[in-house]
Amino acid sequence: MTTHPTPTLISQYASGAAGVDDTTIWAVEAHLEACAACRAVLTDAVDPGTRDLLDRVAGGIADGIATGPGPVRRHRLLRTGVAARVLPWLVTATGLMLAAVLFEWTFNSLPSLVLLIAPVAPLLPVAAVWSRRLDPAWELTATMPRTGLPLLMRRTLGVLSAVIPVLAVAGWVTGHSPGLWLLPAVGFTAGALALGAVVGVDRAALALTVAWSAGVVVPSLADGQLPTVLTGGSLPGWALATVALTAVVLVRAWRRPHGPLQNLLHR
Amino acid sequence: MIRTVSVAETAPSTYAWAVHAEKLQVRAGRHLAVNELDLRLGTGVHGLLGPNGAGKTTLMRALATVLKPAGGRLTLLGGEVTGNADLRQVRRGLGYLPQHFGFYPRFTVREFVEYIAWLKEMPKAVIPGAVQRAVERVGLADRADSRMKTLSGGMLRRAGIAQAIVNDPAVLLLDEPTVGLDPEQRLDFRELLREIGLDSCVLVSTHLVEDVAVACSDVVLISEGRLVWQGTTGQLTEQGAAGDAGDSATERGYSSVLRAYRGRVSA
């Protein structure tokens, strides 16, 4: 493989190879691909017109690359599907928290509305990302290999990462212990997913919201004091419930990672 | 560049029919829309015809694994779909365009098809190329970076076809794909169908007999959830006599077969 083709052969190759058989041409071509010295000889053998053309094309392509549009940016957030339709619900949750803060500032004597609403604030957007009525592409999502709990958990994480900062601001402004709004919010979200795997996430979220409102929010507003479940003493209970429910969801996701969620698929 | 071919790609297929239904029953709500349907489909373009309410869409949904069969047996690409089977492997080989194609209005066509490709668990490295190819095949390359909400009805339909073919599915299910396409696009679409049908199983549900006559190699005719007739397009044409209703030979064949079936059922 060390014999270089003669300059005559290379110039014949460059000029269209009249009178040289195909096998030789292939051999020359294979050699040229591997040998820079012979490519230099080839460059000299090509007639000036062709060289001009090649230079022009190379220059044009280089210009096009330099001035043309760059590579398309990847939108990772969109991947979660959260950004798709959930924005209005996030705005609603934010508005709710804002109203709760204002309410708390105005009526000092009443129990903290921020703490009362915080547990159910993420439920609205969580239900929105996994609902037949609100997800326009639900029928497509239902036929995908990557569906079920892992996808739902990914979307839920997206929702939480948007809602928790809002809760944090509301909790900080009103001066409550982070554990009292964070743990219930995460706990209720995990509960909605755990219950949602059985009855459907949107129904589970609705049921939990109604139960919390009827069982805790309304009585405490009527009594005019915070219920004991939202005082410092109940923190270990919230922590335990949150960890347990999250564990239930994770175990389900791990055991049947692609088991179809009933609410979305098989009704 | 040479692509590595995986073992799965070169393995011989272990099934006789891409779609195999035996006494399949599927519910739409409480109504048994597909009732004891036997169907076997191999490679090629199959047209699914039938009167309104014949169970076409319900059958398509069951084949797309959106609906769980209520009874009977359904095998897709050699994998059982009935029962609590893991659908992941089967779903990777499916492409589905629902009758009501839901989409995220804020996504661009490219983002949407990319998102679907990701949901179909395609390898990360091949997604950008596959998306561009799918978008080009449906003739939407010039609008690939427009938001979905700015597209016309026909363009949306083509975007829907692009997301269905992005993973080169072995079973492609298209529910009313030609709605909203202008005559020229319809011709292009037929060409695309024929191309895809060379090596995969394509099932096109439609009520336009002319589409079936030109674009499909085989015809499946269902009525009231049962298989009425299955054969080639040529055979359907032969069924019609001069006295049957219809403007083309295929339409006459269609009405003749349907009339004969109704006669048999009522007798």
Side-chain angles (χ1 to χ4, degrees), chain A residues 3-42:
Chain A
T3 44
H4 297 277
T6 60
T8 328
L9 190 54
I10 289 184
S11 66
Q12 277 170 334
Y13 171 80
S15 63
V20 187
D21 60 293
D22 285 352
T23 330
T24 315
I25 291 297
W26 294 339
V28 170
E29 200 157 292
H31 179 83
L32 283 172
E33 277 174 12
C35 177
C38 288
R39 280 204 297 273
V41 179
L42 175 69

Side-chain angles (χ1 to χ4, degrees), chain B residues 66-88:
Chain B
V66 180
L67 294 175
K68 195 174 183 169
R73 200 157 166 266
L74 177 62
T75 317
L76 293 175
L77 301 170
E80 184 99 23
V81 173
T82 7
N84 281 327
D86 188 356
L87 301 172
R88 200 170 163 199

Side-chain angles (χ1 to χ4, degrees), chain B residues 6 13 52 61 102 114-115 121 134 137 152 166 171 178-179 203 228 267:
Chain B
S6 70
S13 59
N52 277 342
R61 282 181 157 188
E114 217 168 52
Y115 182 54
E121 297 187 327
R137 283 178 100 179
S152 71
V166 67
V171 172
T178 53
V179 173
L203 185 62
V228 173

Side-chain angles (χ1 to χ4, degrees), chain A residues 75 78-81 84-85 135-137 139-140 142-147 151 154-155 256 258 265-266, chain B residues 61 64 66 68 84 88 91-92 96 98 101-105 107 111 114-116 118-121 163:
Chain A
H75 302 278
L78 288 180
R79 280 284 172 83
T80 61
R85 259 295 166 96
D135 183 356
E139 198 172 343
L140 274 178
T143 66
M144 295 296 155
R146 197 192 293 274
T147 187
L151 185 64
R154 194 182 276 260
R155 292 185 175 190
R256 288 205 62 195
H258 299 274
L265 293 177
H266 295 147
Chain B
R61 282 181 157 188
V66 180
K68 195 174 183 169
N84 281 327
R88 200 170 163 199
R91 283 178 170 172
R92 282 191 191 144
Y96 175 47
F101 169 54
F103 56 91
Y104 300 120
F107 278 38
E111 282 165 354
E114 217 168 52
Y115 182 54
I116 296 292
W118 176 79
L119 284 177
K120 288 187 178 181
E121 297 187 327
Q163 64 77 22

